[in-house]
Amino acid sequence: MKCVEAKRMITRFVNRELSYRELEQFLYHVEQCRDCMDELDIYFTMYRAFDTLDTGAHQEYDFKKMLNEELHAARRSVFLHKVLMAAASGLLVCLALALIFGIYSFFF
Ligand SMILES: [Zn+2]
């Protein structure tokens, strides 16, 4: 992913609108790229600060800590999504094998 693409995704990341695939690529990029991580940090801090002023929604004012928690939660959700997808495809393989075995034992 190029910086221009990652920077376009920052708003959607903060609003939690990225798909798992986009999120994985975005996280990989910002963890490797200091420039994009700095921009994410600035945008995230501004967004949360305005949100706090507008709604009083957050009790936390350590925006750096909030961003780290958000990145950690995003990494965890990408990982869980991958595990679930692998389990689902493993289950499909088992069902297909059971079906093939069932058909085979029915006819032979
Ligand atoms: Zn970048």
Side-chain angles (χ1 to χ4, degrees):
M1 176 182 288
K2 293 179 179 168
C3 290
V4 67
E5 295 170 76
K7 286 175 182 176
R8 264 192 229 131
M9 288 182 166
I10 288 175
T11 309
R12 292 175 54 222
F13 171 78
V14 172
N15 291 322
R16 298 178 182 160
E17 295 170 351
L18 295 177
S19 68
Y20 287 108
R21 187 178 162 81
E22 290 173 321
L23 188 56
E24 184 177 18
Q25 293 171 343
F26 177 78
L27 290 172
Y28 181 78
H29 183 87
V30 296
E31 285 165 1
Q32 311 293 318
C33 179
R34 187 76 241 162
D35 193 33
C36 288
M37 182 58 94
D38 287 345
E39 195 154 325
L40 171 62
D41 190 7
I42 291 166
Y43 185 84
F44 184 87
T45 300
M46 282 173 36
Y47 181 86
R48 285 293 191 265
F50 282 123
D51 196 35
T52 301
L53 287 173
D54 281 351
T55 64
H58 310 289
Q59 300 299 316
E60 182 76 59
Y61 294 102
D62 186 348
F63 297 111
K64 193 86 175 168
K65 183 180 162 201
M66 287 169 74
L67 176 58
N68 284 332
E69 287 171 357
E70 191 81 15
L71 288 168
H72 181 73
R75 271 185 232 109
R76 194 173 51 215
S77 72
V78 166
F79 175 75
L80 286 175
H81 179 75
K82 280 183 156 184
V83 168
L84 286 174
M85 294 309 284
S89 59
L91 186 65
L92 279 177
V93 168
C94 288
L95 287 173
L97 288 174
L99 185 65
I100 290 166
F101 183 74
I103 291 169
Y104 180 81
S105 41
F106 182 76
F107 286 107
F108 300 102

